[in-house]
Amino acid sequence: MTDAPTMNDVARDAGVSLKTVSRFVNGETNINAAMAARIAEAIKALGYRRNLAAASIRPGGTSKTLGLIIGDLANPYYSGLTQAIEGYARDRGYLVISASSDESGAQHDRLVDRLMEQRTDALIVVPPRDPGRDWSSMPSPTPPLVFLDRPLDFVGADVILSDNSGGARSAVAELIRNGARRVAFIGDALSIYTMRERYAGYLLALHDAGLEVDDDIVATNAHSREQAASAVDGLMLSSRIDAVFAANNRASVGALLAFREHGRLPLIGFDDFEAAYFTTPAVSVVSQDISQMGRLAAEIVLNRLSGSSTEATTHIVPTTLELRGSELP
Amino acid sequence: MTDAPTMNDVARDAGVSLKTVSRFVNGETNINAAMAARIAEAIKALGYRRNLAAASIRPGGTSKTLGLIIGDLANPYYSGLTQAIEGYARDRGYLVISASSDESGAQHDRLVDRLMEQRTDALIVVPPRDPGRDWSSMPSPTPPLVFLDRPLDFVGADVILSDNSGGARSAVAELIRNGARRVAFIGDALSIYTMRERYAGYLLALHDAGLEVDDDIVATNAHSREQAASAVDGLMLSSRIDAVFAANNRASVGALLAFREHGRLPLIGFDDFEAAYFTTPAVSVVSQDISQMGRLAAEIVLNRLSGSSTEATTHIVPTTLELRGSELP
DNA sequence: TTGTATGCGTTATCAT
DNA sequence: ATGATAACGCATACAA
């Protein structure tokens, strides 16, 4: 396997200077037509390709690459974000290096280091649940940085969030409007940012309706669908609830499993999922605008890369309440 | 924003030579303890990070980066592959640049060019449905190359496929074993490689059972779930079928939609999907070992990168028949 | 054990 | 319009 041809090879083959080839390759105009033809021919003959890595180390050079750290690509929420980011970036000449932290802080930190060493032009990061090293200890200069899905304090970083609280509030309000008075909250630990927000929305909706909060019908230990199912199970058996707000996908699925045994209750889940369409009635959900969030993240970093230096801001992306039937008694 | 510190800065700060810093950074052992300490200190003080891009352009240098082209990350099949590849690569110090062709040949070709210019150490490619430029016209040298999910002729490239034919055959055989005599084939165009293979498996199973092929109960125009639904619909109305083999996800979902109207028939689908668990009975499927395929792809290219020069081969990854109830009358 | 000099492929400067 | 030369950040040969 011989080595890849370089600009020098092209220059020699075309009988011109290195710089002229560089000009040609970079699409500069001031270049003799005859020479251009010779160069084009040599490029084709040799199968020459630019070496972007080499170009990127020059002063002012860029890798035309974005770094992305998410939790886990197998999760449709993250793969949706990744797809949106990659699509937006690709249309503008950027490639995306995406890596999964598996929600581990240590792995997240390793990936941050690695991406910085790779000199990606910007970083889009979903902070892991298990928190990583403090960003304030990051050596400067930091490339444009966006936190996605969960906020973190770091001067100069933009933040993009779903309207977790507002979405939960509207869902619970809808359940109440349909007659529910004792709405169960089924979710994960409140140490998780999104859970805190959704729980806050739940509380707001209860307050709006003048209902009291009953801690006994709030489950924050539903880490798996099975745990969610048994939580709903227990609450239904003691018949102390008349509706369910499932604060994430796993909770929604758990509720569905419990319903198989005990019949259904009005239900709204947070975050859409494919199976939601295939139950009877179909499951109503608070739908997050994933592609908007991803697009926005990519847009922000690319804008910063092209010089925009507006102040870093927190963007709250609205959610949509998708009513499909399961919210009714 | 000041520039990032370089090895030179560290060397000056620590009062040692460039080379010594290089040694330290690369973890070489023969280095005075006192110097090592000074260097470590300088690195921390300056917030120095290696520039992997710069290191990679050196002779024999590598980018520690894999290029991956898939159809579309929003598809769980592709995001599963990507996750498996990224995980395997990450554990071995490699990052993955993944990009979606959206099944467009032109976009696929652009991405190939771009990734080659980026000098990723290897390429893993799912050839787009809409075929791209001929690989035999690729200028050498080509990095290690693996075709995933669909075969393509290119000397030196490994190929990884699911056992599409065998999986379909076992599914249809199971339907027949449960009493079906007229099994509908619901799928997409046979111009698609995987469809051809699955159809071949369907034919084999019929042949094994001594059943005749009836083109009237073979639908190869189910490009969407709606089209699949109406195909099943029509066949059920004329009651010319007694079971359904759905050759992909969309076909399975379409069949489920049709069943809502007309009651169910025995059904097995190709490729697993989340909603399959939430119907009654749950949908039986031919499950592809996606993570095995991804892992294998990464393993092959990394092996080649570390010098293995075994002959390029085609790997057929077995499928599993997951029986959940829907295969029964 | 440490340092000097050189080169990787590219682009920028500055001259012609 | 074109070209010689230097520089980017790093790692290797080769000395010392």
Side-chain angles (χ1 to χ4, degrees):
Chain A
M1 186 153 9
T2 162
D3 256 8
T6 77
M7 266 193 184
N8 250 315
D9 301 327
V10 175
R12 190 171 353 94
D13 208 72
V16 300
S17 92
L18 185 60
K19 177 60 190 163
T20 308
V21 178
S22 172
R23 273 195 268 263
F24 178 86
V25 165
N26 287 45
E28 295 179 33
T29 50
N30 47 344
I31 175 171
N32 183 297
M35 281 195 147
R38 290 220 308 279
I39 294 174
E41 201 176 345
I43 287 180
K44 192 164 297 175
L46 295 170
Y48 166 78
R49 295 175 188 286
R50 287 179 79 186
N51 183 331
L52 258 34
S56 79
I57 74 168
R58 310 254 17 249
T62 74
S63 68
K64 290 287 188 181
T65 276
L66 263 35
L68 170 64
I69 303 178
I70 57 177
D72 169 18
L73 253 191
N75 183 328
Y77 179 76
Y78 291 123
S79 58
L81 286 176
T82 305
Q83 185 213 22
I85 292 168
E86 197 265 319
Y88 187 96
R90 171 162 31 86
D91 291 345
R92 286 153 187 80
Y94 281 77
L95 252 27
V96 175
I97 305 184
S98 60
S100 297
S101 69
D102 294 330
E103 304 291 357
S104 141
Q107 182 149 136
H108 164 89
D109 292 345
R110 273 195 299 274
L111 289 172
V112 171
D113 289 340
R114 181 65 202 289
L115 288 171
M116 303 264 334
E117 295 188 345
Q118 206 82 34
R119 295 294 197 271
T120 60
D121 294 341
L123 237 39
I124 300 175
V125 172
V126 179
R129 289 212 209 299
D130 168 23
R133 160 218 312 145
D134 199 338
W135 277 86
S136 60
S137 66
M138 280 281 287
S140 54
T142 314
L145 175 62
V146 168
F147 293 124
L148 202 47
D149 195 42
R150 303 162 203 167
L152 231 50
D153 242 352
F154 184 68
V155 181
D158 293 89
V159 177
I160 301 176
L161 306 170
S162 250
D163 184 9
N164 288 286
S165 155
R169 185 184 196 168
S170 67
V172 176
E174 177 70 22
L175 290 169
I176 294 172
R177 200 154 60 78
N178 290 321
R181 320 247 72 202
R182 300 185 50 78
V183 180
F185 177 98
I186 310 294
D188 209 322
L190 296 186
S191 58
I192 300 169
Y193 165 78
T194 51
M195 277 300 141
R196 266 197 316 277
E197 288 294 305
R198 292 169 198 177
Y199 183 61
Y202 168 82
L203 294 182
L204 282 173
L206 294 190
H207 181 264
D208 292 343
L211 294 175
E212 279 186 21
V213 184
D214 179 355
D215 284 345
D216 290 348
I217 63 173
V218 172
T220 57
N221 60 349
H223 312 305
S224 68
R225 49 174 74 176
E226 286 73 23
Q227 288 172 308
S230 80
V232 175
D233 225 57
L235 292 172
M236 288 182 81
L237 277 174
S238 54
S239 55
R240 288 187 307 212
I241 61 174
D242 53 14
V244 174
F245 172 64
N248 64 19
N249 269 340
R250 289 187 301 281
S252 301
V253 171
L256 291 176
L257 294 175
F259 289 176
R260 285 193 174 171
E261 313 268 322
H262 309 295
R264 57 174 290 276
L265 285 177
L267 165 71
I268 300 184
F270 201 110
D271 210 4
D272 210 346
F273 60 111
E274 199 203 7
Y277 298 92
F278 293 94
T279 56
T280 330
V283 178
S284 301
V285 296
V286 179
S287 165
Q288 308 189 67
D289 196 343
I290 294 177
S291 48
Q292 170 61 15
M293 293 177 70
R295 189 166 38 238
L296 187 57
E299 190 184 338
I300 287 175
V301 296
L302 291 193
N303 280 344
R304 293 215 178 278
L305 284 176
S306 36
S308 149
S309 53
T310 56
E311 206 181 341
T313 44
T314 296
H315 304 255
I316 309 280
V317 177
T319 57
T320 315
L321 186 56
E322 306 265 7
L323 297 180
R324 298 173 181 145
S326 74
E327 78 281 7
L328 299 171
Chain B
M1 181 136 40
T2 161
D3 256 8
T6 76
M7 265 193 185
N8 251 314
D9 301 326
V10 175
R12 189 171 354 92
D13 207 72
V16 300
S17 92
L18 182 62
K19 175 57 192 162
T20 309
V21 178
S22 172
R23 271 196 270 264
F24 178 86
V25 166
N26 287 41
E28 295 179 34
T29 50
N30 47 344
I31 174 170
N32 182 295
M35 281 195 145
R38 290 219 310 277
I39 294 174
E41 202 175 344
I43 286 181
K44 193 165 295 177
L46 294 170
Y48 167 77
R49 295 174 187 286
R50 289 180 77 183
N51 185 331
L52 258 34
S56 79
I57 73 168
R58 309 249 20 248
T62 75
S63 69
K64 290 287 189 179
T65 275
L66 263 36
L68 170 63
I69 303 177
I70 57 178
D72 168 18
L73 254 191
N75 182 329
Y77 180 75
Y78 291 124
S79 57
L81 286 176
T82 305
Q83 186 214 20
I85 292 169
E86 197 265 321
Y88 187 96
R90 173 163 29 86
D91 291 344
R92 286 153 187 80
Y94 280 77
L95 252 26
V96 175
I97 304 183
S98 60
S100 298
S101 69
D102 295 330
E103 304 291 358
S104 141
Q107 183 149 134
H108 165 89
D109 292 346
R110 273 195 301 275
L111 288 172
V112 171
D113 288 340
R114 182 65 202 289
L115 288 171
M116 303 266 330
E117 295 188 345
Q118 206 81 34
R119 295 296 198 270
T120 59
D121 294 341
L123 238 38
I124 300 175
V125 172
V126 178
R129 290 214 209 298
D130 167 24
R133 163 221 307 146
D134 199 338
W135 277 87
S136 60
S137 66
M138 281 280 287
S140 52
T142 313
L145 175 62
V146 168
F147 293 123
L148 203 46
D149 194 43
R150 302 162 202 167
L152 229 51
D153 242 352
F154 184 67
V155 182
D158 294 89
V159 177
I160 300 176
L161 305 171
S162 249
D163 184 10
N164 288 285
S165 155
R169 185 182 195 169
S170 66
V172 175
E174 177 69 22
L175 291 169
I176 293 172
R177 201 153 59 78
N178 289 321
R181 321 248 69 200
R182 300 186 49 77
V183 180
F185 177 97
I186 311 295
D188 208 324
L190 295 186
S191 58
I192 300 170
Y193 165 77
T194 51
M195 277 301 140
R196 263 198 317 276
E197 288 294 305
R198 293 169 197 178
Y199 183 61
Y202 168 83
L203 294 182
L204 281 173
L206 294 191
H207 181 264
D208 292 342
L211 295 174
E212 278 187 20
V213 183
D214 180 356
D215 284 344
D216 290 348
I217 63 173
V218 172
T220 57
N221 60 350
H223 312 304
S224 68
R225 48 173 74 176
E226 286 74 22
Q227 287 172 309
S230 81
V232 176
D233 224 58
L235 291 172
M236 288 182 81
L237 276 174
S238 55
S239 54
R240 287 187 308 213
I241 61 175
D242 52 15
V244 174
F245 173 64
N248 64 18
N249 270 340
R250 290 187 300 281
S252 301
V253 171
L256 291 176
L257 294 176
F259 289 175
R260 285 193 174 171
E261 314 267 322
H262 308 295
R264 57 174 289 277
L265 284 178
L267 165 71
I268 300 184
F270 201 109
D271 210 4
D272 210 345
F273 60 112
E274 199 202 6
Y277 298 93
F278 294 95
T279 55
T280 328
V283 178
S284 301
V285 297
V286 178
S287 166
Q288 307 189 66
D289 196 343
I290 294 177
S291 47
Q292 169 60 13
M293 292 177 70
R295 190 166 36 240
L296 187 56
E299 190 184 338
I300 286 175
V301 296
L302 291 192
N303 280 344
R304 293 216 177 277
L305 285 176
S306 34
S308 148
S309 54
T310 56
E311 206 181 342
T313 44
T314 295
H315 305 255
I316 310 280
V317 177
T319 58
T320 315
L321 186 56
E322 306 265 10
L323 297 180
R324 300 175 180 142
S326 75
E327 78 281 8
L328 300 170

